[in-house]
Amino acid sequence: MAVAGVPAALAQQTPQPPPASASETAVQNPVPPGVRPPTGEAPLFSEPLVFTRKEAPRRALPFSLTQVRLLPGPCLEASEANRAYMLRLGADRLLHTFRLNAGLPTSASPLGGWEDPKSELRGHFTGHYLSACALRFASAGDLELKARGDEIVAGLAKCQEALSAGGYLSAFPIELFNRLEQGKRVWAPFYTIHKIMAGLLDMYLHAGNRQALEVASRMADWADRWSDAKGLRPMQQILKEEFGGMNEVLYNLAAAAHEDRWATAGDRFNKLAFVTPLAERRDELRNLHTNTHIPQVIGAARRFELTSDVRFRDAAEFFWYTVVSARTYATGGSSNAEAWLTNPGRLSLEWKAGAHHQECCCAYNMMKLTRQLYSWSGDPRYFDYYERNLFNHRLGTIERSTGHSAYFLSLAPGAWKTLNTDDQSFWCCTGSALEEYAKLNDSIYYHGPDGITVNLFVASELNATQQGVRLRQETRFPDEPITGIVIQATPAAAWTLRLRIPAWTTSARVKVNGKVIEATPQAGSYLSLTRAWKKGDRIELEMPMRLTVESLPDDPGLQAFLYGPIVLAGDLGTAGLTEDLIRNKQGPQVSKAPIEVPALRASGQAPEAWIKPDGSSPLSFRMAGSNPPIALKPLHRLWGRFAVYWRVSG
């Protein structure tokens, strides 16, 4: 069902919104005569939150990182580039400002950018780095990065002990929190605390470092006491300053350590002015800072999982729905200049407002939220969105030769990708990239009562020990619209293999051991294959791709082109680009190096009439007809100038 103001192609791939709220239903269905409406109904969240553990059931769970290994392909390339960058950063440099703050000796060369000793956000990247070390160990058995993570944990423990401040640990003095409490200008101190705690918790959960849990627990004790002393109203004022995912990390720590008092502390980090409209299914996101708020929704989703409180489920589901259906570009990203600037469905206005579209942290966190929501319902359409974000945005914003990554993925005509440097940037997106590319195996396979599910077409191996199954996925996707699954080990009893049939495909078909099966796969669903499998059995899924056009909802003449889930961008060369315009720049300064991008004319109803394969490489096309002969290539492969949205007439 199409959603008003939203391109049909996107609406078809988006899970429908939750049922209408009570107030919406009342307008559509008036109270019958003679019936008196109830009075005194309390508004949502009018009573203080009380954490009561009652875990919600989940339909699908990802296999652990240790059970999946990447094989050669674009995901492994990105992972290895990220690893090489991580190894160029020494533990002493990452600990330097922590030691300065704790009064401990240090002679390391200071880092720059957001990790400069004078930056108020210093220390955040070290938390991301710990998470990436732990995730890399779990996903690839990387002992070198595990040892690096262990070294940093030990160094942080010494800093915490030297500070002797009730568990407080940071690279900046506690005075920043005094300014936060007083409403004075300060740069997001709880944001950094969240990153450090999350990194420590990951080192415990994924790398088995018990000391990391102890340090994180003492930090949680400090955060508990600090927030408890403020009271409800002052805390709600404090939460107007960005605080990352403090609610999520406290919920996760409570679950890992079986200490519900930390979940009670997590409840104090729910900004009710933000979550209440979402729980009532109202989009009031205009002018909000995007990546301040997506982590808050991830925390709300985690609270639902631990408590079954449906208010938080409703908030998370509606938030995802309204962002994906009405605030998301063809690439899967959202926002401009780090904010939602318009009302829903007014993407052309937001697109025109500047050149700094799609902050990469936002894409990372939206994918993280998508994983949570998928686990509740198992709806395959969540992975249509996830896949689009992964292949167009995330795999397209890491430079393979350096491991450097982007802050924004601009959609301005003639834009280019800009990147961090080794030691003079350390943006929020640099940190989230470190985590992202350390765990690219985390969403390929899921399991549940329905069997083993293949959600992404990524070359990899799965060792499902509990099920007694090992399989290997062999694919060159997206260069070839086919994937093969080889059964390497299997129990004697029958079990079910489920294949996601993406919404973008046409006339998909499945072969088992070379024979086409009789069932007809339906796009946007799963195909379940249940049988007593044998070692060596091979399943092939063919997913024909086609060209499609996606317009911005409020301006049909602004169009992007896709082949299957892959966004095709115009290759506009590198004229005028210099290293100074690319390196250590958060986004492209298009006005400093403008070029003219032509308008296009459609010469037929179908894009195939005027966009033709050029045969030079997989997924490479060229404009035809009366248009300039511009090459169209996958956006994730372009590192010069490009255009995604075109003005198309005719």
Side-chain angles (χ1 to χ4, degrees):
M1 180 176 70
V3 181
V6 179
L10 182 58
Q12 290 169 3
Q13 296 183 40
T14 305
Q16 295 304 303
S21 67
S23 60
E24 292 168 337
T25 305
V27 173
Q28 299 168 9
N29 303 299
V31 176
V35 176
R36 179 178 298 174
T39 59
E41 181 179 0
L44 286 178
F45 303 109
S46 58
E47 297 294 328
L49 291 174
V50 177
F51 183 87
T52 303
R53 186 183 293 270
K54 182 185 176 184
E55 295 196 13
R58 284 183 273 180
R59 182 165 181 176
L61 292 171
F63 284 95
S64 74
L65 292 171
T66 60
Q67 293 179 282
V68 183
R69 290 290 183 263
L70 295 175
L71 297 174
C75 285
L76 183 59
E77 290 173 6
S79 178
E80 291 301 316
N82 185 56
R83 178 182 189 268
Y85 171 51
M86 290 181 67
L87 288 174
R88 296 198 298 272
L89 297 171
D92 283 342
R93 298 189 75 186
L94 292 165
L95 287 167
H96 177 64
T97 50
F98 288 89
R99 288 170 172 159
L100 288 176
N101 189 49
L104 297 176
T106 174
S107 59
S109 175
L111 301 172
W114 291 11
E115 285 296 327
D116 183 273
K118 294 182 180 179
S119 168
E120 290 189 351
L121 217 66
R122 60 190 182 271
H124 79 103
F125 185 82
T126 300
H128 284 294
Y129 191 92
L130 281 178
S131 288
C133 287
L135 295 167
R136 176 73 192 183
F137 173 67
S139 65
D142 197 319
L143 293 174
E144 187 172 6
L145 281 175
K146 180 187 185 302
R148 183 76 57 84
D150 290 338
E151 181 182 357
I152 294 172
V153 169
L156 291 177
K158 290 179 180 178
C159 292
Q160 188 180 54
E161 182 180 2
L163 284 167
S164 188
Y168 177 75
L169 171 63
S170 184
F172 49 73
I174 205 166
E175 182 267 336
L176 269 67
F177 286 94
N178 298 335
R179 287 159 50 193
L180 178 66
E181 182 180 2
Q182 295 162 11
K184 296 180 180 179
R185 186 175 180 85
V186 67
W187 192 8
F190 268 120
Y191 175 93
T192 296
I193 293 296
H194 162 237
K195 302 309 175 191
I196 299 166
M197 289 183 65
L200 290 164
L201 184 56
D202 281 337
M203 280 298 297
Y204 168 67
L205 292 174
H206 298 291
N209 187 311
R210 185 76 192 182
Q211 186 180 37
L213 178 63
E214 294 168 357
V215 176
S217 298
R218 288 193 286 270
M219 292 184 72
D221 284 339
W222 174 84
D224 182 12
R225 289 191 302 272
W226 193 94
S227 59
D228 188 37
K230 304 300 172 269
L232 179 59
R233 286 192 176 184
M235 271 302 294
Q236 290 297 305
Q237 285 296 115
I238 286 166
L239 297 184
K240 291 182 178 180
E241 179 63 41
E242 186 174 6
F243 57 92
M246 280 298 297
N247 53 356
E248 181 208 9
V249 73
L250 286 163
Y251 294 144
N252 286 337
L253 186 61
H258 307 287
E259 286 282 0
D260 284 358
R261 61 193 172 94
W262 292 329
T264 297
D267 279 349
R268 300 186 198 113
F269 289 90
N270 286 296
K271 187 164 66 175
L272 300 182
F274 170 63
V275 74
T276 299
L278 296 174
E280 295 174 346
R281 301 169 179 85
R282 303 197 314 271
D283 183 325
E284 297 183 2
L285 303 181
R286 182 181 179 183
N287 292 330
L288 291 185
H289 184 259
T290 307
N291 204 51
T292 293
H293 293 88
I294 302 173
Q296 296 178 39
V297 180
I298 294 171
R302 186 64 177 131
R303 193 184 195 278
F304 165 68
E305 291 173 350
L306 293 176
T307 66
S308 299
D309 187 332
V310 296
R311 297 174 297 178
F312 290 90
R313 179 199 65 196
D314 291 348
E317 289 182 336
F318 177 76
F319 172 85
W320 188 95
Y321 169 77
T322 194
V323 169
V324 172
S325 67
R327 296 181 174 279
T328 294
Y329 300 104
T331 49
S334 183
S335 77
N336 194 350
E338 302 191 16
W340 294 296
L341 302 178
T342 65
N343 288 319
R346 305 304 302 276
L347 270 178
S348 77
L349 295 180
E350 185 165 285
W351 176 74
K352 296 170 185 175
H356 288 179
H357 308 95
Q358 304 186 119
E359 185 183 2
C360 289
C361 278
C362 302
Y364 168 78
N365 280 316
M366 282 299 295
M367 291 167 68
K368 187 174 176 180
L369 176 63
T370 300
R371 282 166 47 84
Q372 287 179 281
L373 270 58
Y374 172 79
S375 73
W376 304 349
S377 68
D379 191 324
R381 291 172 293 183
Y382 282 115
F383 266 91
D384 286 316
Y385 166 79
Y386 191 101
E387 175 184 67
R388 189 180 287 204
N389 221 330
L390 173 65
F391 280 94
N392 295 304
H393 192 141
R394 303 311 289 133
L395 292 180
T397 48
I398 180 170
E399 187 177 52
R400 302 301 196 270
S401 60
T402 63
H404 296 161
S405 55
Y407 192 114
F408 293 111
L409 178 57
S410 178
L411 297 176
W416 58 92
K417 297 169 186 176
T418 57
L419 300 163
N420 68 294
T421 62
D422 262 21
D423 62 359
Q424 296 299 314
S425 305
F426 300 110
W427 309 313
C428 50
C429 297
T430 318
S432 58
L434 233 60
E435 297 181 26
E436 179 88 82
Y437 304 122
K439 62 175 186 63
L440 289 172
N441 57 343
D442 70 350
S443 297
I444 304 171
Y445 306 101
Y446 278 71
H447 64 94
D450 297 326
I452 294 176
T453 299
V454 180
N455 270 325
L456 293 174
F457 313 117
V458 173
S460 54
E461 290 183 327
L462 169 67
N463 185 11
T465 52
Q466 187 174 357
Q467 293 83 359
V469 172
R470 284 192 297 111
L471 57 83
R472 179 184 178 95
Q473 184 173 182
E474 300 171 346
T475 183
R476 296 187 67 248
F477 184 87
D479 284 353
E480 296 177 355
I482 186 171
T483 194
I485 309 292
V486 179
I487 306 298
Q488 295 181 310
T490 177
W495 56 276
T496 300
L497 179 67
R498 301 171 75 235
L499 305 175
R500 181 175 70 90
I501 310 301
W504 45 259
T505 192
T506 59
S507 60
R509 69 175 187 171
V510 174
K511 296 178 181 178
V512 176
N513 296 328
K515 296 181 179 180
V516 178
I517 66 170
E518 294 183 3
T520 302
Q522 298 296 315
S525 68
Y526 285 109
L527 180 69
S528 295
L529 303 173
T530 303
R531 60 186 288 173
W533 298 96
K534 296 179 180 178
K535 181 179 179 180
D537 282 347
R538 180 179 178 85
I539 305 97
E540 288 188 354
L541 170 61
E542 299 175 4
M543 304 162 284
M545 295 183 183
R546 62 187 176 94
L547 280 166
T548 56
V549 175
E550 286 194 10
S551 303
L552 291 176
D554 54 328
D555 190 342
L558 283 172
Q559 299 178 1
F561 311 119
L562 293 92
Y563 191 63
I566 304 302
V567 171
L568 301 174
D571 184 351
L572 303 180
T574 59
L577 295 187
T578 64
E579 285 294 291
D580 185 59
L581 289 171
I582 296 171
R583 303 291 167 183
N584 205 21
K585 297 291 188 296
Q586 292 182 13
Q589 298 169 305
V590 177
S591 61
K592 290 187 175 182
I595 62 170
E596 184 177 351
V597 177
L600 304 178
R601 182 171 181 80
S603 56
Q605 292 297 316
E608 290 87 350
W610 52 286
I611 300 175
K612 304 289 186 180
D614 70 4
S616 64
S617 61
L619 306 178
S620 184
F621 295 79
R622 190 167 293 274
M623 302 287 190
S626 60
N627 295 300
I630 297 170
L632 290 174
K633 299 178 180 179
L635 174 62
H636 68 266
R637 290 182 181 152
L638 289 178
W639 289 93
R641 294 179 181 270
F642 57 84
V644 169
Y645 282 102
W646 305 80
R647 175 62 66 186
V648 181
S649 62

